Amino acid sequence: MRGGMKAALGAMATVLAGQAPAAAQDAPTDAGMREAHAVLLGLAQDGVAPVREAGADIYYSIVDNPNAPRLVTRLEVSGAPCRARTISALQFPERWATLTIGLIDLSRVTTAIAYASVDDMIAEARPVPLASPEAEQVVLTGAGLYCSSRLSLSGRSDAADETCTDRLDLPMMDEEQKARGRQVLAIVADFCKAPAFEGK
């Protein structure tokens, strides 16, 4: 079944090819950039490694029940490494349900706020410095950080459902998450030159 999923996702990848302009300077490795995007999108978690292909990583949701739907996400970067494309397919056994095509742009981050707990993050209270060892949650905001179009493949509707989110959450609850989070923030600040980090 995975072969069919990969074929479907690979075909959809060609729709988005060549949309991003060339980067003005050398980028971190493709693998490092894909991992940074995956962390912010919540794809890289629980120590599960993606299936790596040339220029793309594919993430499979963990499903204990064989009759439950499974989410398959292909993530790739191209000429502009601060931008990544995602192609996600939600598959029920023996049929496709929805396909989501998205674009994340890390150079759009205009604010970065850290909190010492989930409760503080929800209340938007008592922020701490990004470099503080107490930081357990980081909220990145910026207009159009992640935009996506969702298409139904069930035959019930051919209308695209387009949405954009201006917020991405970066958990830093344990040492592994903190290490990944610091790496992501360094990429966003130092390579993507996000406005949130100007003058810092």
Side-chain angles (χ1 to χ4, degrees):
M1 185 175 291
R2 284 194 177 187
M5 293 184 213
K6 289 183 182 179
L9 294 174
M12 289 306 302
T14 60
V15 175
L16 298 169
Q19 288 186 355
Q25 55 182 303
D26 291 339
T29 65
D30 282 348
M33 289 304 300
R34 289 197 301 270
E35 183 176 0
H37 290 290
V39 169
L40 285 172
L41 292 173
L43 299 173
Q45 54 186 332
D46 300 327
V48 177
V51 175
R52 298 196 181 277
E53 296 186 344
D57 291 342
I58 299 178
Y59 291 84
Y60 294 86
S61 62
I62 300 173
V63 177
D64 295 327
N65 182 350
N67 295 319
R70 163 162 285 188
L71 184 65
V72 186
T73 302
R74 176 187 175 96
L75 185 149
E76 59 184 20
V77 297
S78 58
C82 291
R83 301 174 69 193
R85 297 182 290 263
T86 60
I87 306 168
S88 300
L90 179 63
Q91 185 192 38
F92 288 84
E94 307 303 327
R95 65 184 178 90
W96 294 102
T98 59
L99 184 73
T100 302
I101 303 171
L103 180 68
I104 179 175
D105 189 345
L106 301 185
S107 66
R108 291 177 176 264
V109 176
T110 54
T111 65
I113 303 175
Y115 298 94
S117 70
V118 174
D119 290 340
D120 286 348
M121 179 183 68
I122 293 173
E124 297 183 348
R126 296 181 294 276
V128 299
L130 285 175
S132 170
E134 296 180 354
E136 292 191 353
Q137 302 287 333
V138 176
V139 177
L140 304 178
T141 60
L145 269 180
Y146 179 68
C147 293
S148 63
S149 295
R150 186 172 60 186
L151 306 172
S152 172
L153 301 182
S154 64
R156 297 179 183 177
S157 172
D158 56 1
D161 179 14
E162 297 184 356
T163 59
C164 283
T165 180
D166 298 336
R167 169 175 170 162
L168 293 171
D169 293 344
L170 180 61
M172 299 174 65
M173 302 289 289
D174 55 36
E175 289 307 313
E176 181 179 352
Q177 288 184 345
K178 286 181 185 294
R180 291 190 307 201
R182 285 191 290 267
Q183 184 177 19
V184 169
L185 291 173
I187 287 175
V188 175
D190 299 333
F191 179 73
C192 296
K193 307 297 182 185
F197 299 91
E198 289 181 355
K200 295 185 180 179

